[in-house]
Amino acid sequence: ARAPWVQLDYDHMNDSDGNEMNTYGAGGGFALPARMDLRFGYAYSDLNGPVSGVDADASADTLYGVLGWRPKAGHRGELRLGAMRLTDAAGNDRTTAIGGVAYTLPMARWTGRAAAGFDPFLYSPEILDNEIDVTSATFAASGLVARRVQVETDAGYGHFSDGNTRWNAGAGVW
């Protein structure tokens, strides 16, 4: 059985438009019977950036849990559920459910992963003020193509609640 664990995280983002976001997180988890595990986490994000030409602050508090299951060797399913409290630049609060599902499986000598999720779009106070959420789907595969040569590929789609969409794809070799 896997021993209980704790993890601390920090992420910083800034861009040329004056937006800045810091995210601080803490989480932990432990093994459960029947090839299952449970993780919990909390994250706080502070956002700073221009809203209508004025410097503004916003924040997000996230609390989530992830139930993991390994039905057989090389397979893993995850169910993520939680809530996020968003505070916009005017100090108004909105709480929304967040969640997602993911499944990892072997594909011959490769590993595949499919995931879907629903989360608020955190980037700037202006975006948070507009209450934009994103529903996403991603697919990925990784594996060895030769001895000591690893390939990773991914593709994704995001639908934003303001009507915008985003497609992305990536590949890497090392």
Side-chain angles (χ1 to χ4, degrees), residues 9-23:
D9 300 300
Y10 172 74
D11 184 57
H12 174 79
M13 178 283 304
N14 62 21
D15 68 17
S16 60
D17 294 327
N19 293 302
E20 185 173 346
M21 181 170 64
N22 292 292
T23 300

Side-chain angles (χ1 to χ4, degrees), residues 19 47 49-53 56-59 86-94 96 118-134 160-164:
N19 293 302
L47 299 90
V51 175
S52 301
D57 294 311
S59 65
L86 305 153
T87 304
D88 67 19
N92 300 312
D93 287 333
R94 169 176 79 110
T96 186
F118 176 83
D119 298 279
F121 184 36
L122 291 183
Y123 185 83
S124 70
E126 186 169 29
I127 289 173
L128 195 142
D129 284 359
N130 289 310
E131 300 184 1
I132 299 172
D133 298 320
V134 61
F160 296 81
S161 60
D162 65 352
N164 287 307

Side-chain angles (χ1 to χ4, degrees), residues 124-161:
S124 70
E126 186 169 29
I127 289 173
L128 195 142
D129 284 359
N130 289 310
E131 300 184 1
I132 299 172
D133 298 320
V134 61
T135 303
S136 61
T138 59
F139 302 93
S142 63
L144 292 172
V145 293
R147 192 172 157 231
R148 299 186 193 187
V149 179
Q150 174 84 19
V151 171
E152 288 193 9
T153 62
D154 64 76
Y157 171 79
H159 174 76
F160 296 81
S161 60

Side-chain angles (χ1 to χ4, degrees), residues 24-38:
Y24 310 87
F30 52 90
L32 296 171
R35 298 183 307 268
M36 299 179 87
D37 59 82
L38 189 58

